[in-house]
Amino acid sequence: MKRALRAAVAQLRAAETLEEAIPVLKGAGELLGLPMVTVNGDYSSNRLLGDGTGGTLAAALGWSPDILTGWSSEELTPFSPVGAACRLSSLPFAWRSDSFACPVPTRIEAPQERVLDFLAELGVTGGITTPVHLPFSRIGSVTWFSFDRKFNFDRVLEAHKDSFILLGHYFMALADSEMESLAAERAFSLSRREIECLTWVALGKTDTEIAAIIGRSMSTARFHVDKAVAKLNAVSRTQAVAKAAQLGMIGAVI
């Protein structure tokens, strides 16, 4: 098994597209007895990570539309106890769905219970998660799930910890690179007005103040800012400003 996992790591390292990488990631999980995998690019956002072709990565990894609709409509990502644990750890950890048995201390309150209940309804008994700390202060992860109540998560993690680290980080690096490349392409389609409004956001102006500056309504100012955020594939105005500055679009004014 270790040889097969080393081969999977090498394939992921060499992969140039998510289309190449997805079956490798899934295959590694199946080899380990963890048949389903999810990839999260930012636990502060409920937005599902894209697959680079207009779909979602979760769908490409085999999760059904009903499950994805339920997860998104409940807005569960920001409250995931897995995400909370990822903020406190940089190494893979095993966890069980029952009361979120996990070596990383995590508070379980009503919002986290909603997430665990959702997983329990799917039959998920636990998982192994590789936290991935990304640019712009984002916390993401790659998680492999089991539906077997007798699965020994701790033993599997201990035997293959290095593989979990490498598989998680190589895949996430590729996924994030593709998303950032798309963001860079979209950034150069920003209109002059969108760049102007985002620049005023960078300077601390509110929508009301921006509206007065550009001589338009507050809803129009907000529309231009929101369009810029979407084109940059950002989860907030703050992140959009950071990306625009990194791309040299508003660097001269901040």
Side-chain angles (χ1 to χ4, degrees):
M1 183 182 294
K2 287 185 179 293
R3 179 177 296 178
L5 288 173
R6 285 197 295 270
V9 168
Q11 285 180 279
L12 275 185
R13 184 178 182 180
E16 296 182 352
T17 67
L18 287 175
E19 186 178 9
E20 296 175 43
I22 286 170
V24 178
L25 190 72
K26 285 176 60 67
E30 291 166 0
L31 186 66
L32 291 161
L34 297 160
M36 293 298 288
V37 58
T38 62
V39 180
N40 192 300
D42 188 348
Y43 275 106
S44 70
S45 170
N46 197 57
R47 182 185 301 169
L48 295 175
L49 197 63
D51 65 357
T53 66
T56 66
L57 189 51
L61 287 166
W63 295 93
S64 74
D66 288 345
I67 291 173
L68 299 182
T69 298
W71 181 273
S72 296
S73 63
E74 293 288 332
E75 299 187 348
L76 297 176
T77 299
F79 303 106
S80 170
V82 175
C86 284
R87 294 185 179 96
L88 300 174
S89 177
S90 58
L91 293 175
F93 57 88
W95 53 273
R96 297 195 67 88
S97 299
D98 297 342
S99 302
F100 197 63
C102 173
V104 183
T106 306
R107 293 183 64 179
I108 302 297
E109 298 179 347
Q112 289 73 41
E113 289 287 358
R114 286 173 49 219
V115 178
L116 296 177
D117 288 345
F118 187 94
L119 294 175
E121 289 178 7
L122 299 180
V124 171
T125 57
I128 294 175
T129 296
T130 297
V132 185
H133 294 243
L134 295 160
F136 305 112
S137 301
R138 290 171 295 148
I139 306 296
S141 72
V142 178
T143 298
W144 292 264
F145 295 96
S146 175
F147 302 87
D148 181 358
R149 293 190 177 279
K150 296 181 179 179
F151 192 85
N152 192 323
F153 296 97
D154 293 321
R155 185 176 65 190
V156 171
L157 175 58
E158 184 60 30
H160 305 291
K161 181 176 288 187
D162 290 349
S163 294
F164 280 110
I165 293 172
L166 294 171
L167 289 167
H169 280 79
Y170 279 136
F171 188 90
M172 183 62 83
L174 178 61
D176 196 53
S177 175
E178 288 211 7
M179 294 304 103
E180 290 305 306
S181 294
L182 287 174
E185 291 174 11
R186 292 170 183 159
F188 292 106
S189 70
L190 261 64
S191 69
R192 292 181 64 182
R193 183 66 87 185
E194 288 162 359
I195 293 173
E196 179 186 11
C197 290
L198 195 61
T199 298
W200 289 118
V201 171
L203 292 170
K205 301 299 183 182
T206 65
D207 287 343
T208 301
E209 292 170 328
I210 295 171
I213 293 169
I214 67 174
R216 296 289 187 272
S217 68
M218 185 176 69
S219 61
T220 298
R222 183 182 297 119
F223 171 80
H224 288 310
V225 174
D226 289 346
K227 285 287 286 183
V229 171
K231 286 182 179 180
L232 287 163
N233 197 36
V235 299
S236 66
R237 293 181 172 206
T238 300
Q239 189 183 67
V241 167
K243 288 189 174 186
Q246 187 181 57
L247 291 166
M249 303 179 72
I250 58 175
V253 297
I254 61 173

